[in-house]
Amino acid sequence: MTIDTKDFNYSDERFADLQMLRYRLNGFEQLTLQQKRLVYYLSQATLYGRDITFDQNGEYNLRIRRLLEAVYLEHVDDCDEQFQALETYLKRVWFSSGIYHHYACDKFVPEFSEDYLRRAVLSIDARKLPLADGQTVEELCHELFPVIFNPDVLPKRVNKADGEDLIATSACNFYQGVTQKEAEDFYAAMKTEATDCPPSFGLNSTLVKRNGVVEEQVWKADGRYGQAIRQIVYWLRKAADVAENEQQKQVIDLLVTYYNSGDLRIFDEYSIQWVSCLGTKVDFINGFIEVYGDPLGLKGTWEGLVEYVDEEAAIRTRAISNNAQWFEDHSPVDPRFRKPVVKGVTANAICAAMLGGEEYPSTAIGINLPNADWIRAQHGSKSITISNITDAYNKAAQGNGFREEFIRDKEMLALIEKYSDACDNLHTDLHECLGHGSGQLLPGVDPDALKNYGNTIEEARADLFGLYYMADEKLIELGLLPDGEAYKSSYYTYLLNGLMTQLVRIQPGRQIEEAHMRNRALISRWVLAHSKSVQLTRKHGVFELEIGSFQELRGLFAQLLAEVQRIKSEGDFEAARRLVEDYAVKVDPDLHAEVLERYEKLHLAPYKGFINPWLLPVCENGEIVDIQVNYSESYAHQMLRYSSEYATLI
């Protein structure tokens, strides 16, 4: 199905604080049949990881999902307020892969009563419910209802509060029966025996204590999550059969070997081969990757992404990656922390074809992998900017009044309207391709030395690298920006977001928890505290951002980048802790209240997510002869279909 851009509806339904969007598979029809089949098989492998992410986000998530879906399907024709509240709650659970907010990590508060849910559950055929062996329906309610309704039971998915046992106070399902100290000691002992190229210890396992002994339950085909992983492996093998070249086939085969063995050294071999596999139209991410969901920053939440190159937009990303050494050499950080030789930095603008796991429904707009510092240093990294996702965000936001409300300076507003799309995409490129790929650790520094502050510091490092170079004449020379005024758009909107507008995602009285939000707050508030020309002032009764000197601002970005890189390179935990706790966590209640009030009158949802396209194979005589792209599936239908077709763990 091909839909003209002007007829494509990017915005779909809205509920709670969420707006559902759709993304187009631009140019999909131009792919060869082999490439379309490859996309389809990789997409199946992506969707089969869904249950893993739910379980990682909380021990009870899968059973609660199944319970709620059974009630929903039984009462879908009801129109009373209690059912409508349950429907909204279920949609939020689908969105967040569990009962915790995908960004804030707080447990959802049901707006339906416990009595209503009990009556609804008791009215259902017990065979449709997630009963344990020998469990009655009443016992099921007794087990799950406190998790749903009691605000004091497992209240937070990821806790990052300084000074607390982060495992004991986090509901994520990566640790069972162990304390934070026991976990840290367990992996510290592993690292003492490591080589110069250590695997990412703990990335693919649940750490448990049995009979007083701490041990790992590895996520692999014959281990924990085996039912899901075996399905992923099945579809990866089918993808290998239609790989675009022999190297891509070897990459997929290595991933299969890793999934079968659970050996992280094989995962490193796969990552190295994946980085060097270039020249294909189709690529993918599939595995236990990012560690934001673990308070200790060790365990990888499962995610999947299937992609193909956006040839027109890739011109921009390739210009950056081809000059990676120049950017590294001219970085304002201490030369000791720069890479003498930048290896294997590649960047592409891509179209997402399927989102899964941690990347669905809410997804990143740019990704840089692999995460292992020694692989980046010795073999390089791949960066992507997801062009059809950013395009969907931009199209859906047109005319919503957000900029006009928070940017009262008409000249600045005009500048932002002129340059923002180009600058936003470029900053994402610089962040992913150069920022994450830049710098080096000093010899002997533990990559996990910054512990629970590591993710925030790393995101700040990448953002600062991009911000510093946004104002560099090199970007004009490369044809990536039209003139020396464009970067001001990026500087203004970044500070506005970090100081003010991202606060629409925080509930009153709460602090900032999520690593990317902390990163933006850290940079913006540090600049505000150290600048002579950047101010938040009250004009016309509201707070407004004023930037008197953009050159001074660039100098401050350089200064902070140098310090953040030093912290990373030296593994200075105390400096990281002070920087994050001083600038990135607390929220000014008066400013917050004003931002929420101004945002509320716009009637916008602060969070966005995506409904996947439905890829439908067209078969003749048992062979796939085409893949149709269907954009008409509703959010609820897609989620229920996924729960039916891709359920593996419950």
Side-chain angles (χ1 to χ4, degrees), residues 476-488:
I476 302 173
E477 175 190 323
L478 293 174
L480 301 175
L481 286 181
D483 54 50
E485 293 291 301
Y487 80 93
K488 296 178 181 179

Side-chain angles (χ1 to χ4, degrees), residues 486-507:
Y487 80 93
K488 296 178 181 179
S489 163
S490 181
Y491 278 18
Y492 191 93
T493 55
Y494 188 93
L495 290 190
L496 182 68
N497 186 22
L499 293 171
M500 291 181 62
T501 56
Q502 73 169 1
L503 294 178
V504 303
R505 297 181 165 189
I506 304 293
Q507 293 295 315

Side-chain angles (χ1 to χ4, degrees), residues 261-309:
S261 67
D263 188 337
L264 285 169
R265 289 173 177 80
I266 296 176
F267 179 69
D268 286 345
E269 292 179 30
Y270 154 75
S271 299
I272 292 167
Q273 291 297 318
W274 177 78
V275 164
S276 64
C277 183
L278 307 173
T280 60
K281 181 78 171 180
V282 177
D283 205 349
F284 69 99
I285 296 167
N286 188 296
F288 307 105
I289 309 293
E290 302 293 355
V291 297
Y292 302 107
D294 174 13
L296 302 189
L298 298 173
K299 307 294 180 181
T301 305
W302 194 92
E303 67 178 79
L305 171 69
V306 186
E307 64 191 66
Y308 57 94
V309 176

Side-chain angles (χ1 to χ4, degrees), residues 190-201 265 268 372-379 441-447:
M190 282 188 170
K191 291 174 182 178
T192 60
E193 302 175 3
T195 65
D196 292 336
C197 302
S200 300
F201 292 114
R265 289 173 177 80
D268 286 345
D373 286 290
W374 72 266
I375 296 179
R376 291 176 185 271
Q378 296 183 23
H379 302 279
L441 300 181
L442 293 184
V445 172
D446 182 354

Side-chain angles (χ1 to χ4, degrees), residues 89-108:
Y89 183 87
L90 175 57
K91 287 181 177 181
R92 299 184 75 184
V93 169
W94 284 333
F95 191 97
S96 297
S97 297
I99 62 173
Y100 301 93
H101 196 281
H102 73 290
Y103 230 71
C105 296
D106 297 317
K107 189 163 69 173
F108 300 138

